[in-house]
Every structure is written in structure tokens, then in C-alpha cells.
Amino acid sequence: MAKFDENAKPFSQKWMDDRLAVTTLKKVLSTEYWIPKDINFLWAMGMILAATFGLLLVSGIFLLMYYKPDVDMAFDSVNYTIMTEVGYGWLWRHIHGVAASIVFLIIYIHMFTGIYYGSYKKGREMIWISGMLLFVTFSAEAFSGYMLPWGQMSYWAGMVITNLFEGFSPDIMGGALNAPGLVEWIRGDYVPDDAFLTRFFMLHVLLLPLVIIGLIVLHFGTLRLPHVNNQTGEEIDFEEAADLYKAGKKKESKVIPFNPVFLSKDVFVMGVYFILFFYLVFYHFNFAMDPVNFDPADGLKTPPHIYPEWYFLWSYEILRPFPKDPGLIAFGIAQVALFMIPFIDRSPNVAPANKRGLFHIWFWVLVIDMIVLTVMGKLPPQGIWNTIGMVAAVVFLLMGPALYFITKAEKKL
């Protein structure tokens, strides 16, 4: 009689393992993906971002069923058909609008957490770069989505933002050969119209979501090899710590498995987050919807003050105080500087900012300056507001060189 093997795999599991290595994938991505014990709730922001993106996809699919990407029907399809005629259409729109705004708050928290704890340092540069690529792509996705309701602010924000590309329009041989204008090429016309709307509709519902999904996979992939950073910046021997954990010495081990231990903590934080999220959806959704955008787009009536959504205001304020060409250069430098942080920071230390002397001051100056830029970007560019905005923009541009010299002089802890 054959001896029964208690460890024998069920036929279905063996069949899948032989073809897709499901058990190995489960270990690599889940049960034997090791996370440092010494981390706090801020490390759950990545999973919250992924969950919020999932909400955006689901709510977007429901809105897509009734949205009309046509300049004559877009406004009514959003503000009348979806909001008043479709059952629970208002709920899906509120979820989509609030999620589109809140996702950037979580992105900024995630970004500043990475800076504070030095999670971009040597060996983790690709984690930071892939995260910044996600930030840029989410920004493009948000901008394209902002065009779709085809209200006043949609139209004029589209007009202003696409006008920025006029500075990059090619001019060959001193004007003897002028290539087609880049702005007109982007819009498909001289002013935002039907071609403009349908192009941004395609970007919003197809191309950019595919890019975001790919970048999310890349971002999680970059976390797998150098492993997640921790609160103290301690270099952990993950193999040794994992062996201790698997041997039953869980207290002595400095790591925990992603699933189920760390994932359960993520789920708890997400539960708290979604309570707050749906509170906003039901009771305070107006913060995510500009009242000016409830007027239909009118190319002959300019709003008294044009501004983007709050999550773009800091960038907008860096651009706005300067003349056109210097403003474009300042805007470009500001975006590139964020990508370059891992290479500008010359300190040998991987430690929280509060242990790094001048870097701690630099970090909080950066946070406060970006808040000031955000507030100034919403206010009219006149009087004292314009002066404060100019000073804040200059301070931001000087933060990169300051980071280099501060960290170059930083002594090893």
C-alpha cells in the first residue's frame, strides 16, 4: 500500500505550479516578501494610492457609460444626465472627483515621507524615479480629466496650460522655415474645441491609465530588490532576519512577511482612510469641484481669475511670477529638481531628517515653501500676493543647490 504524503500538493495546485510557478510567485511577492518591523502607518500610503487608483478606475468606467466626448454634449452629459437622470450617477461622480483630488494629497504625503526618511538613497534611486514618473503621469491624467466636463475652468485652464507649449514651438533657420506650431498640434485646432476634447478623452480613459498601471508594476518591482526602508535607516540583513522569523524567533527577527502580517496593518490603515474618504464623498464633495466649472465653456468669456486644481498650484506659482521664457525655465527646473533629489543629496547617511542636522531644517523649509506656493497660486497675482509668490518661487529654485551643499558637508553618523 502506497504511503500517504501529507505534503503532497493537490493536483490543481501542482498543475498550476508546473506551468506558472504559482507557489514561487506567492512566496516572492507575498508570504516571503519581507518588510522591516520598524515602520509606521506612513508606509501604508502606497497601498492606499493603489486602492484609490482602483476606485478611480471603477468609478470612471461607470461615468464612461454616459459621458459624451463632444463639445455640444459633454457639459450636459456630466451635469444633467449623470447627476440627475442616472441612478446613483451623482455618487459615482462624487467618488471620482474626490478620489482625483485626494489621491494627490496621499501622493504628497508619500513623497515627503520618502524624503524625510531618505528612502531615495543609494540602492533605492529607481524607487524614487519610478515614483516620480507615477507623479507626472497622474498629473497628466488629472489634467486630461479636468478637461472632460467642458465647463468654464476646463476650457480656460486647457487654453492656459497648452499655451505653455508655445515656448517650445520649433522655429527653424531664424524663422525662414516655421514648422507647425506645437500648441495647435496638441489642440488639433487654434483654440480648444472638439478635436482637443476627444484627444484628451482618449488620453484620460485609455493611454494614461495603461501607462499608470505599468508604472505601478515597475514601482512595486523596484521595491523588491533593495527592500523597503525603515524609520531608523538601519541596514538590515534581510536573509538572516527572515531565517530567524521562519525558525519561529519572531521577536528576535527585524522583519515580518508582507502577507498576512504587514498586509493586515495596511488594511487597518485603509479602513480608517476610507471612512474619511466616504465622509468627504457624502458631505464635503464640493472641495473637489470648482464652482466656476459648473458654467458651460465659453471661449468668448474669460473668467476673472484662471487657476488649476490645488495639486498643481505650487508648480503654477513657480511659473507665474516670471516673464514667459524665464517662467518656463523655472517651471522646468522645478520639475527636474524633484527627479534629481537622489543625486543632489550627497550625504552618506540613510537616516530620518531629525537626525541629520541642517537637512532637517531644509526639509521643513521645503514643505512650508510648497504650502505657501500652493496658497499663492490660488490668489490673484497682484500686490503683496505677487511679491510673496515671487519670493516663494525663488526659494524653491534655490532649494536644490542648498541641498547639495548642506548634504556635502554632512558628517557620517
Side-chain angles (χ1 to χ4, degrees), residues 278-314:
F278 282 103
Y279 172 75
L280 294 175
V281 166
F282 286 107
Y283 298 106
H284 292 287
F285 55 85
N286 283 335
F287 84 94
M289 299 181 183
D290 194 314
V292 179
N293 223 28
F294 285 93
D295 296 326
D298 185 350
L300 301 176
K301 183 181 178 183
T302 309
H305 180 39
I306 300 171
Y307 47 82
E309 284 290 270
W310 72 267
Y311 37 83
F312 295 140
L313 288 172
W314 70 270

Side-chain angles (χ1 to χ4, degrees), residues 38-347:
D38 182 24
I39 55 178
N40 57 35
F41 74 96
L42 293 171
W43 268 260
M45 294 300 114
M47 291 299 291
I48 288 175
L49 283 171
T52 307
F53 178 63
L55 261 184
L56 284 165
L57 281 178
V58 172
S59 58
I61 289 169
F62 279 99
L63 295 175
L64 185 59
M65 294 177 186
Y66 300 97
Y67 177 75
K68 306 292 184 186
D70 181 282
V71 292
D72 295 322
M73 297 186 284
F75 184 83
D76 286 347
S77 71
V78 172
N79 292 287
Y80 294 104
T81 305
I82 290 173
M83 291 297 289
T84 62
E85 296 180 7
V86 176
Y88 295 101
W90 60 270
L91 177 59
W92 290 112
R93 189 190 179 192
H94 289 177
I95 289 173
H96 201 72
V98 170
S101 189
I102 287 295
V103 76
F104 279 93
L105 176 62
I106 305 302
I107 285 173
Y108 287 127
I109 292 172
H110 197 47
M111 184 189 301
F112 285 124
T113 300
I115 296 174
Y116 187 90
Y117 289 105
S119 299
Y120 53 84
K121 301 287 285 183
K122 186 177 179 181
R124 295 189 173 94
E125 295 92 341
M126 282 305 301
I127 299 174
W128 179 262
I129 291 170
S130 61
M132 286 307 304
L133 287 171
L134 265 172
F135 171 65
V136 170
T137 313
F138 262 111
S139 298
E141 174 75 349
F143 174 67
S144 61
Y146 194 59
M147 301 300 103
L148 301 187
W150 209 240
Q152 267 290 73
M153 199 55 76
S154 294
Y155 180 93
W156 287 101
M159 175 76 84
V160 170
I161 298 302
T162 52
N163 272 340
L164 298 180
F165 291 92
E166 190 176 350
F168 303 104
S169 296
D171 186 14
I172 304 171
M173 293 176 62
L177 291 171
N178 287 317
L182 183 58
V183 176
E184 288 77 15
W185 181 78
I186 292 170
R187 292 175 183 163
D189 206 336
Y190 291 102
V191 294
D193 212 325
D194 212 52
F196 176 86
L197 180 61
T198 51
R199 287 178 183 195
F200 278 82
F201 174 73
M202 180 278 296
L203 288 172
H204 189 71
V205 304
L206 178 63
L207 184 58
L208 290 173
L210 289 176
V211 175
I212 287 172
I213 291 168
L215 286 171
I216 288 173
V217 172
L218 173 64
H219 192 55
F220 277 98
T222 58
L223 283 168
R224 187 63 183 87
L225 290 178
H227 291 282
V228 176
N229 191 18
N230 56 80
Q231 281 182 245
T232 62
E234 179 187 359
E235 286 296 326
I236 297 172
D237 186 331
F238 279 85
E239 288 188 15
E240 181 184 330
D243 288 340
L244 284 172
Y245 190 94
K246 287 188 282 188
K249 298 178 180 179
K250 297 181 180 180
K251 288 185 178 180
E252 292 86 348
S253 176
K254 295 181 179 179
V255 298
I256 52 176
F258 175 76
N259 183 28
V261 184
F262 182 74
L263 188 59
S264 65
K265 295 181 179 182
D266 268 359
V267 169
F268 174 77
V269 177
M270 280 195 287
V272 175
Y273 164 74
F274 279 119
I275 290 171
L276 298 173
F277 176 86
F278 282 103
Y279 172 75
L280 294 175
V281 166
F282 286 107
Y283 298 106
H284 292 287
F285 55 85
N286 283 335
F287 84 94
M289 299 181 183
D290 194 314
V292 179
N293 223 28
F294 285 93
D295 296 326
D298 185 350
L300 301 176
K301 183 181 178 183
T302 309
H305 180 39
I306 300 171
Y307 47 82
E309 284 290 270
W310 72 267
Y311 37 83
F312 295 140
L313 288 172
W314 70 270
S315 291
Y316 181 58
E317 187 59 22
I318 289 172
L319 171 78
R320 193 171 64 170
F322 302 101
K324 183 177 180 181
D325 290 340
L328 284 172
I329 293 170
F331 178 80
I333 290 172
Q335 312 314 308
V336 173
L338 291 174
F339 274 89
M340 297 302 293
I341 283 178
F343 309 102
I344 298 173
D345 186 340
R346 309 307 297 171
S347 169

